[in-house]
Amino acid sequence: MTSHPSPWLRLLPGISPKRRGFVLAWWGFALTFGGMRLLTWLIHIDVAGIGDMQAGGGHIHHYVWGILLLAAVGAAGLTDRSARARAWIGLAYGVGLALVVDEAALLISLEDVYWDTQGGISVALAIAVIAVAGSVLAVTRGRRASKNDAHEEDS
């Protein structure tokens, strides 16, 4: 069987396998938050072909998908995982967390305040998460990946 290097190893050279999941969680969070804000804005201004997800006539908020994804990540994280799996789990964690945090104001007020002044709570919280996590990653920098880490990389 031929072993293929992890795509994360090519994307994040020099980042240790143990740290890669954290970096991908941060990227996943920031990009998903920005993407969801863009998507919901396009829905809000009625761009043709883009609309809410509905089930049984009711809107399904994207925090639901975030909670489901976080539950799956939590279950997957209960076992020892390979470096490649930890990277994917880190990315999925960041995406799921962003989906929930983006609607934090709704969860706090139990009203759909996404575009109201109260909706700014979600934006402030997301910016804080991005800033704090990015700062922690920058300050702790971690060790560079070494040849000893190569045995942790798998296909």
Side-chain angles (χ1 to χ4, degrees), residues 15-76:
I15 304 293
S16 76
K18 291 180 179 161
R19 186 173 174 79
R20 200 170 294 135
F22 292 104
V23 172
L24 288 166
W26 181 59
W27 281 5
F29 182 94
L31 294 174
T32 300
F33 175 75
M36 289 310 301
R37 281 283 150 169
L38 174 61
L39 178 63
T40 54
W41 177 72
L42 293 172
I43 292 168
H44 184 70
I45 64 170
D46 293 322
V47 170
I50 299 177
D52 288 335
M53 182 172 283
Q54 303 278 330
H59 171 67
I60 300 177
H61 289 273
H62 52 271
Y63 74 81
V64 172
W65 307 113
I67 290 169
L68 293 172
L69 187 54
L70 288 173
V73 166

Side-chain angles (χ1 to χ4, degrees), residues 5-152:
S6 168
W8 304 119
L9 182 59
R10 290 189 303 271
L11 181 64
L12 299 169
I15 304 293
S16 76
K18 291 180 179 161
R19 186 173 174 79
R20 200 170 294 135
F22 292 104
V23 172
L24 288 166
W26 181 59
W27 281 5
F29 182 94
L31 294 174
T32 300
F33 175 75
M36 289 310 301
R37 281 283 150 169
L38 174 61
L39 178 63
T40 54
W41 177 72
L42 293 172
I43 292 168
H44 184 70
I45 64 170
D46 293 322
V47 170
I50 299 177
D52 288 335
M53 182 172 283
Q54 303 278 330
H59 171 67
I60 300 177
H61 289 273
H62 52 271
Y63 74 81
V64 172
W65 307 113
I67 290 169
L68 293 172
L69 187 54
L70 288 173
V73 166
L78 293 174
T79 62
D80 190 26
R81 294 291 178 188
S82 67
R84 178 178 277 193
R86 283 195 314 265
W88 282 107
I89 288 170
L91 181 62
Y93 176 78
V95 169
L97 187 59
L99 292 172
V100 173
V101 168
D102 187 45
E103 293 197 314
L106 179 151
L107 294 168
I108 292 167
S109 68
L110 297 178
E111 293 181 29
D112 194 354
V113 294
Y114 198 85
W115 294 110
D116 296 343
T117 304
Q118 284 181 284
I121 293 169
S122 297
V123 175
L125 182 58
I127 291 170
V129 168
I130 293 166
V132 170
S135 296
V136 168
L137 287 170
V139 168
T140 60
R141 282 196 313 243
R143 62 182 178 82
R144 306 271 302 165
S146 68
K147 291 180 182 174
N148 295 336
D149 290 328
H151 73 280
E152 274 205 54

